[in-house]
């Protein structure tokens, strides 16, 4: 079945450092890809998404490009802030209406000043 | 964007009692809602898919008699943890599908069974 693999954390960075969180997927069809962020004690918020190959999702300085040839959707940010500290989840949807998202295990990011 | 409200955000209950968690789509109708469980430092595990007006579809290994799901209206789904035990302590998150395609998530419920 479909699956998502993302890099294990935690990732610890200093403020203004460059961030990459790797995410790869396995899917039989043409999935949509997502990054969600979860702040401590809260639910999930959609950070960005891409619905087809070569699409780039971006939001709040974060970017991810849907790479079909490498089945990847790596999350990047050029300069992280302390407020970016959270857990980041990569997820896919198989594109069928009414189906649930499949999540990776999450990567904890900790940014220090 | 669409808003999903989950209540309560935290609940502590005694072992053997039942707890109800509500998930509401505030500004849209959701035919389909999902219930997830999140263990510490782990991903979200899909428990069940809730469709308005019909029985929920449970994932393998999830006890449907223990985790009762009712999706009585297009804006409300409830998860009742029956005869709760300490091992049921977890973070439960719901999501609702907007226009049957995009998922919006509730804030989550931290359940502690003592």
């Amino acid at each position: 079945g479909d699956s998502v693999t993302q890099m294990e954390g935690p990732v610890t960075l200093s403020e203004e450092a460059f961030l990459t969180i790797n995410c790869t997927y396995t899917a039989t069809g043409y999935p949509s890809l997502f990054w969600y962020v979860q702040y401590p004690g809260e639910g999930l918020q959609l950070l960005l998404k891409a619905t087809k190959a070569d699409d780039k999702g971006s939001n709040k300085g974060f970017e991810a490009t849907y790479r079909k040839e490498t089945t990847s959707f790596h999350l990047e940010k050029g300069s992280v802030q302390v407020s970016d500290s959270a857990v980041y989840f990569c997820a896919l949807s198989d594109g069928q209406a009414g189906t649930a998202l499949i999540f990776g295990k999450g990567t904890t990011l900790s940014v220090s000043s | 964007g669409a808003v999903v409200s989950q209540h309560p955000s935290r609940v502590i209950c005694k072992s053997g009692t039942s707890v109800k968690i509500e998930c509401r789509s505030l500004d849209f109708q959701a035919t389909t809602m999902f219930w997830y469980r999140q263990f510490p430092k782990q991903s979200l595990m899909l428990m069940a898919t809730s469709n308005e007006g019909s029985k929920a579809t449970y994932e393998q290994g999830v006890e449907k008699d223990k985790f009762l799901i009712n999706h009585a209206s297009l804006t409300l789904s409830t998860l009742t943890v029956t005869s709760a035990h300490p091992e049921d302590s977890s973070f439960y998150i719901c999501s609702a599908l907007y226009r049957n395609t995009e998922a919006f998530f509730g804030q989550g419920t931290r359940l502690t069974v003592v």
Side-chain angles (χ1 to χ4, degrees):
Chain A
D2 295 354
S3 66
V4 175
T5 303
Q6 62 182 105
M7 62 187 287
E8 299 273 337
V11 174
T12 304
L13 295 173
S14 298
E15 207 165 22
E16 300 184 3
F18 185 86
L19 169 71
T20 300
I21 301 178
N22 290 336
C23 171
T24 57
Y25 67 91
T26 302
T28 53
Y30 301 93
S32 294
L33 301 173
F34 306 82
W35 277 100
Y36 283 85
V37 58
Q38 183 181 33
Y39 297 102
E42 298 184 12
L44 274 68
Q45 300 176 27
L46 177 64
L47 182 59
L48 53 84
K49 67 179 182 181
T51 57
K52 62 183 187 298
D54 299 326
D55 270 3
K56 177 186 282 188
S58 61
N59 185 26
K60 300 180 181 179
F62 290 90
E63 293 183 339
T65 301
Y66 188 148
R67 301 284 188 202
K68 188 169 183 291
E69 62 276 13
T70 54
T71 62
S72 65
F73 193 55
H74 304 321
L75 181 68
E76 297 182 336
K77 186 175 186 182
S79 177
V80 293
Q81 305 300 311
V82 173
S83 58
D84 294 327
S85 299
V87 182
Y88 292 81
F89 290 93
C90 185
L92 72 80
S93 168
D94 65 8
Q96 301 295 317
T99 58
L101 292 168
I102 296 171
F103 287 90
K105 290 190 174 183
T107 301
T108 300
L109 170 65
S110 178
V111 181
S112 58
S113 58
Chain B
V3 178
V4 175
S5 176
Q6 191 173 335
H7 178 80
S9 57
R10 291 178 180 274
V11 59
I12 300 173
C13 71
K14 291 185 177 180
S15 188
T17 62
S18 296
V19 173
K20 180 184 285 188
I21 302 170
E22 293 186 346
C23 180
R24 293 181 184 272
S25 55
L26 295 186
D27 50 1
F28 67 100
Q29 294 183 328
T31 305
T32 303
M33 294 186 177
F34 303 100
W35 288 96
Y36 295 85
R37 181 172 179 175
Q38 185 179 28
F39 294 95
K41 299 185 179 181
Q42 293 191 28
S43 186
L44 283 76
M45 181 191 77
L46 179 66
M47 298 175 66
T49 301
S50 169
N51 290 297
E52 187 268 338
S54 63
K55 290 184 178 180
T57 302
Y58 290 82
E59 296 299 302
Q60 192 172 8
V62 177
E63 300 176 61
K64 58 184 177 182
D65 294 332
K66 179 167 193 59
F67 298 100
L68 299 179
I69 291 172
N70 183 19
H71 194 156
S73 77
L74 287 171
T75 59
L76 174 64
S77 176
T78 60
L79 167 67
T80 301
V81 183
T82 63
S83 187
H85 288 94
E87 57 266 30
D88 299 324
S89 299
S90 194
F91 195 61
Y92 294 88
I93 301 178
C94 73
S95 75
L97 282 186
Y98 175 67
R99 294 184 179 176
N100 220 25
T101 55
E102 185 167 352
F104 288 86
F105 288 81
Q107 306 94 315
T109 297
R110 171 72 60 193
L111 170 63
T112 303
V113 184
V114 297

